[in-house]
Amino acid sequence: MTTTLVTGGARSGKSRYAESLLDHRTRVTYIATGTVPDGTDQEWSDRIWRHRMRRPAWWSTVETSRLAAAIDSAYNPVLVDCLGTWLARQIDDIDGWHDPQGTGAYLEKRTEELLAVLRSAVVDVVMVTNEVGLSIVPDTASGRLFRDELGRLNAAVSAVCDKVVLVVAGRVLDLSGCPVVPA
């Protein structure tokens, strides 16, 4: 089985590319890690609706923040969209936006759980994530916390994946042969 990480910026085409990696499969488990729309945020609801409409009808969807458990219990290839929204939900779950040290320790445990599942995956896994650390330093502590923790998560996941690609402006760059920075 193979694990693939698809990373890139907002609206770069990363989700569409990740979907294309599995569109030939008859069964796929799509793991949606974001919050389920409740009607209070129309833009979020529209965004989720567009993602749902793009997926083939024969794909099943699991909406959860329990990512490691969802991957571990999958019988079909998995597409995770996305690690950035999963990370935000993890921080929300512990109200950790104002406690970087406590949040970091909690996220380290969740990341280790995810890495263990990825190392032993019995199905193909494709994960989408965001690259948010390529620009200015956020001016809020919560923004810096998210940027730093997502960078750590992406590096850790990348290190255990068979394939890593970066999608920029709709172009796909294969990073799989590039050296991995030691932890």
Side-chain angles (χ1 to χ4, degrees):
M1 298 304 117
T2 61
T3 50
T4 303
L5 181 65
V6 179
T7 187
R11 301 287 185 222
S12 62
K14 61 191 177 296
S15 291
R16 286 183 189 270
Y17 176 73
E19 292 163 4
S20 77
L21 296 175
L22 296 172
D23 65 5
H24 65 285
R25 298 296 190 79
T26 56
R27 287 186 167 46
V28 172
T29 300
Y30 183 99
I31 302 175
T33 63
T35 55
V36 178
D38 62 4
T40 61
D41 182 342
Q42 189 59 50
E43 188 276 334
W44 182 250
S45 296
D46 292 346
R47 180 180 298 253
I48 298 303
W49 180 82
R50 284 191 302 275
H51 274 258
R52 287 177 178 159
M53 293 302 103
R54 257 198 342 250
R55 293 194 294 268
W58 55 89
W59 286 17
S60 63
T61 300
V62 175
E63 295 175 332
T64 186
S65 65
R66 297 185 64 232
L67 184 54
I71 294 170
D72 196 37
S73 65
Y75 294 100
N76 303 309
V78 169
L79 192 150
V80 176
D81 200 353
C82 92
L83 293 180
T85 54
W86 175 77
L87 179 73
R89 280 186 78 181
Q90 297 304 301
I91 298 170
D92 284 345
D93 285 351
I94 63 164
D95 195 23
W97 293 104
H98 303 291
D99 179 16
Q101 288 179 329
T103 300
Y106 175 80
L107 294 174
E108 193 173 316
K109 290 176 188 170
R110 299 295 77 77
T111 299
E112 282 304 318
E113 291 170 359
L114 176 60
L115 297 177
V117 166
L118 293 175
R119 286 183 190 106
S120 63
V122 296
V123 297
D124 291 334
V125 179
V126 177
M127 294 164 290
V128 177
T129 193
N130 306 98
E131 281 300 328
V132 297
L134 299 173
S135 187
I136 61 171
V137 175
D139 64 351
T140 64
S142 59
R144 290 186 298 275
L145 172 68
F146 181 77
R147 181 212 49 199
D148 293 348
E149 291 298 340
L150 186 59
R152 286 184 190 98
L153 175 63
N154 287 348
V157 170
S158 170
V160 301
C161 281
D162 301 305
K163 185 172 183 178
V164 179
V165 298
L166 172 65
V167 181
V168 178
R171 302 292 179 132
V172 179
L173 303 169
D174 189 346
L175 305 177
S176 303
C178 298
V180 176
V181 176

